[in-house]
Amino acid sequence: MIILDTHVLIFDAIAPDKLSAKAHKTLEAAREKGELAYCDISMWEISMLLAKKRLTLSVDISSFLKDVISANRLTVLPISPEIAKLSISSCFSHKDPADSLIGATAIYYQAYLVTCDSKLTAVRELKTLW
C-alpha cells in the first residue's frame, strides 16, 4: 500500500508537474495495482486550504474529492484507536496533528508514505518516498 500525504494528493490531481519523477512513477505503479490510499484527515486539510484561500478549485470540494477518489481508485483510511495512539507518540515532535495522523497511519499499515514534508521524512519509524 502507498499512502499519499495531502499535498501529494493535491499535486497529483491538479499540478502533477510538482511531483518528483520517483513519486510520479510510484503513484502510477500503485494506481495500476489499486494500492493507493490516503488518510481521511486529508479531506479536512484540503477543505481548510480552500477556506483559507490557499487553494482554489473549479469545482466544489465534495465533487473534487469524490472525483479524485474514483479516478485513482483510492482507499480512504479512517482514524482508528491504534492510529490515534500512534499519532501522539514521541516520534512525532512537530505540532501539526494532521501530519501526525498521516504519519501514524503509514506506520500502522506498514506502508510507504509519499511526501516531501521534511518533518515527516525525518521520522525514523516512517518509510517515505519522494
Side-chain angles (χ1 to χ4, degrees):
M1 178 185 308
I2 302 293
I3 297 175
L4 308 181
D5 197 353
T6 304
H7 65 276
V8 175
L9 182 66
I10 294 167
F11 291 167
D12 187 47
I14 63 175
D17 56 309
K18 291 187 177 185
L19 293 172
S20 71
K22 184 177 182 179
H24 183 70
K25 185 177 178 181
T26 300
L27 268 60
E28 286 302 315
R31 187 177 289 117
E32 287 179 21
K33 296 178 184 176
E35 296 178 349
L36 282 181
Y38 75 102
C39 306
D40 58 1
I41 193 78
S42 291
M43 290 187 274
W44 174 82
E45 279 194 300
I46 293 169
S47 296
M48 291 301 295
L49 290 171
L50 287 167
K52 293 178 180 182
K53 305 219 185 300
R54 293 178 52 204
L55 176 67
T56 57
L57 298 172
S58 59
V59 297
D60 73 343
I61 183 66
S62 297
S63 296
F64 172 77
L65 291 170
K66 288 176 185 176
D67 289 348
V68 168
I69 292 167
S70 175
N72 293 291
R73 298 180 0 196
L74 288 168
T75 300
V76 181
L77 302 171
I79 300 168
S80 68
E82 295 82 9
I83 291 168
K85 181 181 176 184
L86 276 171
S87 75
I88 59 167
S89 71
S90 61
C91 67
F92 298 107
S93 60
H94 58 286
K95 304 290 184 205
D96 187 332
D99 282 351
S100 296
L101 285 164
I102 291 167
T105 302
I107 292 170
Y108 177 77
Y109 283 99
Q110 299 179 348
Y112 281 94
L113 175 64
V114 181
T115 185
C116 67
D117 185 328
S118 61
K119 292 176 185 171
L120 288 172
T121 59
V123 175
R124 192 180 80 251
E125 294 82 356
L126 274 172
K127 300 182 291 186
T128 60
L129 297 167
W130 181 248

